Amino acid sequence: MSYKANFRIWRGDAEGGDLGDFVVEVNEGEVVLDIIHRLQATQAPDLAVRWNCKAGKCGSCSAEINGRPRLLCMTRMSTFAEDETITVTPLRTFPVIRDLVTDVSYNYIKAREVPSFKPPEDLKPGEYRMQQVDVERSQEFRKCIECFLCQNVCHVVRDHEENKQAYSGPRFLMRISELEMHPLDTEDRVETAQADHGLGFCNITKCCTDVCPENIQITDNALIPLKERVADRRYDPLQRLFRR
Ligand code: SF4
Ligand code: F3S
Ligand code: FES
């Protein structure tokens, strides 16, 4: 069963652009990325879109559909009514390169600013021992496909370009939290999370968690525990005494 759907797609580049109207055929079982590909094949051969796996695993096809950050390849057309106009726009938080493709280098800069895992120097490969509970805790965070939908939706940077310098965003605060919880990591990440990565900007709105296609509980399982460690470090008198 097929039908014709009305699409509005943002076309343009760093200089500016506008929404273009298209009527496209939709077949049963298709996702929004299928429709974008059909548009390229039939009406707009120069429409730019980034994608790779079409299986929700590479994190490339992030965009906004009717204003909500989503993966194009994981959004079924059956989500929408047949007579609904579907608007597809690029991620708002990152600069547009062309059409639906944005420049996400902010995220790579922030990734490089997180010091890597640092095991004890005298521990050789093969000697790492961890409790199962510690393995399971970090496994949730390692499901991240780096789609940057959480980075895109977080209000701290979504409408505040000026915060990008000081704020690493939920994906990378989650990475810091994961490493901080790792029993074999020797790097002290608590102070730096607050001072260098802007943890204090996060006021737990949970929009990041709402849009995560991997259903990672970013706020509850990564950001809040990290905030608790910062609070303990700074304000728990026993901890302060112990450190002295
Ligand atoms: Fe995407 Fe979720 Fe990873 Fe954020 S935490 S980059 S939303 S997979
Ligand atoms: Fe932003 Fe998520 Fe915190 S959306 S404010 S990082 S809870
Ligand atoms: Fe890989 Fe959509 S194309 S996640």
Side-chain angles (χ1 to χ4, degrees):
M1 281 220 298
S2 63
Y3 64 95
K4 302 270 187 204
N6 292 313
F7 266 76
R8 305 199 83 194
I9 314 258
W10 196 87
R11 309 288 317 266
D13 56 25
E15 305 300 312
D18 209 348
L19 291 165
D21 290 308
F22 301 91
V23 178
V24 206
E25 184 188 316
V26 177
N27 299 310
E28 199 171 345
E30 286 185 331
V31 294
V32 174
L33 186 60
D34 288 315
I35 311 307
I36 302 285
H37 285 161
R38 181 161 300 121
L39 260 176
Q40 287 178 321
T42 58
Q43 302 177 48
D46 60 341
L47 172 63
V49 61
R50 187 186 280 132
W51 70 284
N52 201 326
C53 69
K54 204 171 174 276
K57 286 295 158 216
C58 73
S60 308
C61 66
S62 301
E64 303 198 0
I65 305 176
N66 292 347
R68 184 180 167 86
R70 287 175 177 272
L71 295 179
L72 295 173
C73 75
M74 296 303 283
T75 307
R76 293 196 166 275
M77 284 302 296
S78 56
T79 317
F80 311 101
E82 291 188 7
D83 59 355
E84 190 175 345
T85 299
I86 299 163
T87 305
V88 187
T89 48
L91 297 177
R92 194 168 97 193
T93 302
F94 311 120
V96 169
I97 297 174
R98 196 158 70 85
D99 301 337
L100 301 177
V101 178
T102 51
D103 176 358
V104 293
S105 18
Y106 161 73
N107 300 287
Y108 303 127
I109 293 165
K110 295 299 168 186
R112 277 194 290 271
E113 287 173 0
V114 179
S116 52
F117 173 60
K118 192 172 161 200
E121 279 175 7
D122 55 351
L123 210 61
K124 297 184 190 59
E127 292 178 353
Y128 292 14
R129 298 283 180 270
M130 285 170 71
Q131 299 282 334
Q132 185 60 25
V133 65
D134 291 322
V135 175
E136 281 161 11
R137 192 179 297 121
S138 63
Q139 253 167 7
E140 179 188 12
F141 306 136
R142 297 190 74 86
K143 287 192 302 180
C144 175
I145 58 169
E146 302 223 308
C147 63
F148 306 132
L149 291 180
C150 59
Q151 300 283 96
N152 172 61
V153 83
C154 180
H155 69 95
V156 176
V157 284
R158 188 167 171 88
D159 293 312
H160 298 280
E161 185 68 28
E162 70 279 10
N163 288 341
K164 282 186 176 168
Q165 182 82 17
Y167 185 63
S168 294
R171 194 278 168 261
F172 299 104
L173 290 168
M174 178 177 86
R175 172 74 178 145
I176 294 168
S177 187
E178 177 199 335
L179 289 167
E180 175 56 28
M181 290 177 196
H182 197 301
L184 297 178
D185 185 57
T186 58
E187 186 91 7
D188 181 1
R189 300 176 188 271
V190 172
E191 265 314 308
T192 173
Q194 190 80 359
D196 304 325
H197 298 275
L199 179 63
F201 280 95
C202 163
N203 55 353
I204 321 185
T205 55
K206 297 197 180 186
C207 312
C208 51
T209 305
D210 281 350
V211 299
C212 178
E214 288 292 320
N215 293 317
I216 303 171
Q217 296 303 303
I218 307 168
T219 322
D220 286 354
N221 292 349
L223 305 184
I224 292 175
L226 194 56
K227 280 176 172 288
E228 284 170 351
R229 289 182 186 216
V230 171
D232 284 351
R233 174 75 64 89
R234 292 196 168 183
Y235 307 115
D236 181 342
L238 274 178
Q239 278 215 24
R240 286 170 68 173
L241 202 64
F242 178 69
R243 277 205 317 283
R244 270 193 214 147

